[in-house]
């Protein structure tokens, strides 16, 4: 609770009136907090499945391994808030137009690395995580509230990232996770899309602040 009101969750707290408005915009779709893939409409599931299919290809894993060399933590962005990152043209499938997906990236941890417990600021999107590459020998997981998802047991995990969460890799090997931000299901996805585009404009010069503890691939 102290983290939420006085720590790294204070931005989420300050934005809570906007998040409540986003909950209203999303009616009649309930915010489950933690989702199963089947909780999403079919069109959403299809876009996620296309990204997962590319992420499982050997060529993509090789790309990640080259980028991760001699790094502790790495963040790669192929698409960020609806705009393609031109630095990564080697995966053209991630630059295709998408109706619901707004961010496609990868977070990579070397062994014995973890984040602090933290909160995402806004509920316009859901966070989809998909573990790719060799499963590290040892425990690697994400904890959201009281729920723990171990990547060796479940490779796909979907959640509202305004909930307190922490990613942990206690193994020796590297953990690669696709992260996909997808619009929340809504009867008015165009309205949420407009909101996300506005957020992108506001954050375009401050992205490094949110990822200050990461190497960001150029």
């Amino acid at each position: 609770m102290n983290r939420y009101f006085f720590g790294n969750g204070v931005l989420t707290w300050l934005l809570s009136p906007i998040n409540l408005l986003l909950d209203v915009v999303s009616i009649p779709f309930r915010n489950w907090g933690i989702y199963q893939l089947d909780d999403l409409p079919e069109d959403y599931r299809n876009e996620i499945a296309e990204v997962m299919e590319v992420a499982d290809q050997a060529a993509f894993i090789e790309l990640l391994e080259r980028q991760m060399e001699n790094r502790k933590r790495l963040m790669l962005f192929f698409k960020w808030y609806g705009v393609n990152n031109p630095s990564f043209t080697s995966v053209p499938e991630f630059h295709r137009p998408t109706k619901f997906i707004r961010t496609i990236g990868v977070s990579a941890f070397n062994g014995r690395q973890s984040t602090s417990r933290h909160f995402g600021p806004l509920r316009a999107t859901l966070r989809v995580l998909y573990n790719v590459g060799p499963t590290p020998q040892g425990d690697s997981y994400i904890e959201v509230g009281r729920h723990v998802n171990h990547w060796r047991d479940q490779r796909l995990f979907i959640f509202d990232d305004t909930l307190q969460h922490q990613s942990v890799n206690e193994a020796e090997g590297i953990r690669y996770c696709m992260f996909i931000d997808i619009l929340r299901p809504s009867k008015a996805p165009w309205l949420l899309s407009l909101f996300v585009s506005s957020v992108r404009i506001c954050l375009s010069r401050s992205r490094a602040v949110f990822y200050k503890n990461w190497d960001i691939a150029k």
Side-chain angles (χ1 to χ4, degrees):
M1 189 65 70
N2 285 340
R3 282 180 182 271
Y4 185 70
F5 290 107
F6 305 107
N8 55 18
V10 67
L11 181 60
T12 311
W13 172 50
L14 292 173
L15 293 173
S16 57
I18 295 176
N19 285 327
L20 289 173
L21 178 60
L22 292 170
D23 286 340
V24 172
V25 170
S26 299
I27 291 173
F29 294 95
R30 177 180 173 181
N31 184 353
W32 296 98
I34 295 172
Y35 291 72
Q36 301 299 318
L37 188 60
D38 286 344
D39 294 328
L40 303 177
E42 183 179 6
D43 289 350
Y44 289 66
R45 299 197 303 268
N46 290 341
E47 283 197 356
I48 293 170
E50 289 175 0
V51 174
M52 290 165 57
E53 183 179 357
V54 176
D56 282 332
Q57 295 176 5
F60 181 65
I61 305 302
E62 291 171 4
L63 168 67
L64 299 182
E65 290 173 346
R66 290 196 303 271
Q67 292 291 328
M68 186 58 182
E69 205 168 53
N70 299 320
R71 300 178 193 255
K72 289 184 177 180
R73 294 187 189 182
L74 177 67
M75 190 75 69
L76 300 87
F77 291 104
F78 299 92
K79 188 187 296 287
W80 191 73
Y81 279 76
V83 173
N84 290 331
N85 183 355
S87 299
F88 286 95
T89 57
S90 55
V91 190
E93 295 90 343
F94 293 158
H95 288 171
R96 293 172 181 167
T98 51
K99 187 174 180 181
F100 305 109
I101 289 176
R102 288 297 174 268
T103 295
I104 300 176
V106 176
S107 69
F109 284 173
N110 219 316
R112 308 295 178 181
Q113 294 289 313
S114 64
T115 67
S116 61
R117 289 185 170 86
H118 59 286
F119 305 80
L122 290 165
R123 286 205 292 265
T125 57
L126 299 175
R127 176 62 51 84
V128 180
L129 298 180
Y130 183 58
N131 198 244
V132 297
T135 302
Q137 296 299 310
D139 206 5
S140 184
Y141 60 89
I142 182 169
E143 181 177 350
V144 179
R146 296 181 179 180
H147 183 92
V148 180
N149 183 79
H150 298 271
W151 296 120
R152 64 173 179 262
D153 300 326
Q154 182 66 43
R155 295 176 64 196
L156 180 68
F157 187 70
I158 306 169
F159 69 107
D160 167 7
D161 83 334
T162 64
L163 300 174
Q164 181 176 262
H165 54 283
Q166 180 183 27
S167 290
V168 177
N169 183 22
E170 295 179 345
E172 296 296 337
I174 299 173
R175 181 234 65 175
Y176 298 104
C177 252
M178 295 293 304
F179 66 89
I180 307 161
D181 286 338
I182 193 162
L183 296 176
R184 283 180 64 180
S186 168
K187 293 292 187 181
W190 61 270
L191 184 57
L192 288 175
S193 181
L194 181 62
F195 180 82
V196 169
S197 296
S198 301
V199 171
R200 182 194 71 238
I201 294 170
C202 294
L203 295 181
S204 59
R205 295 189 176 182
S206 59
R207 181 170 62 178
V209 173
F210 292 94
Y211 302 105
K212 61 184 179 180
N213 294 321
W214 300 79
D215 289 336
I216 299 180
K218 305 296 185 183

